[in-house]
């Protein structure tokens, strides 16, 4: 799988299906699709978004709550 940004509309055609990608979409696609789109000048390959510029792996939840858990919700008060 390869990350690409489509610079123009592109239809990836196979014998049993077609997938239409619109200009501006950023998608993780199969290598065959990426190679065909790039060869036609309709997409550009991108680096994997899970790698920081330093090469360090960046997880999607880093930087949120500093790793702290959300507080547990309070139990509803009895209305007896």
């Amino acid at each position: 799988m390869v990350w690409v940004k489509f610079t123009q509309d592109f239809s990836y055609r196979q014998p049993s299906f077609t997938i239409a990608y619109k200009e501006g979409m950023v998608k993780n696609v199969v290598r065959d699709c990426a190679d065909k789109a790039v060869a036609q000048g309709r997409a550009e390959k991108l680096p994997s978004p899970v790698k920081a510029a330093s090469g360090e792996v960046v997880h999607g939840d880093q930087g949120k709550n500093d790793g702290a858990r959300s507080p547990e919700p309070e139990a509803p008060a009895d209305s007896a």
Side-chain angles (χ1 to χ4, degrees):
M1 302 288 284
V2 180
W3 283 95
V4 296
K5 178 178 182 180
F6 290 93
T7 56
Q8 297 177 29
D9 291 354
F10 175 72
S11 293
Y12 178 59
R13 292 184 172 93
Q14 292 297 296
S16 60
F17 65 90
T18 299
I19 301 173
Y21 296 100
K22 297 295 182 184
E23 178 181 348
M25 288 179 138
V26 176
K27 295 287 184 181
N28 194 12
V29 299
V30 295
R31 187 167 306 280
D32 182 55
C33 175
D35 291 344
K36 288 179 180 178
V38 170
Q40 292 179 22
R42 296 179 176 268
E44 55 188 32
K45 291 183 180 179
L46 299 175
S48 173
V50 296
K51 302 245 180 185
S54 65
E56 176 183 327
V57 175
V58 177
H59 300 283
D61 63 351
Q62 285 185 343
K64 294 181 182 177
N65 288 335
D66 298 319
R69 291 182 53 185
S70 298
E72 296 293 327
E74 293 183 24
D78 281 339
S79 58

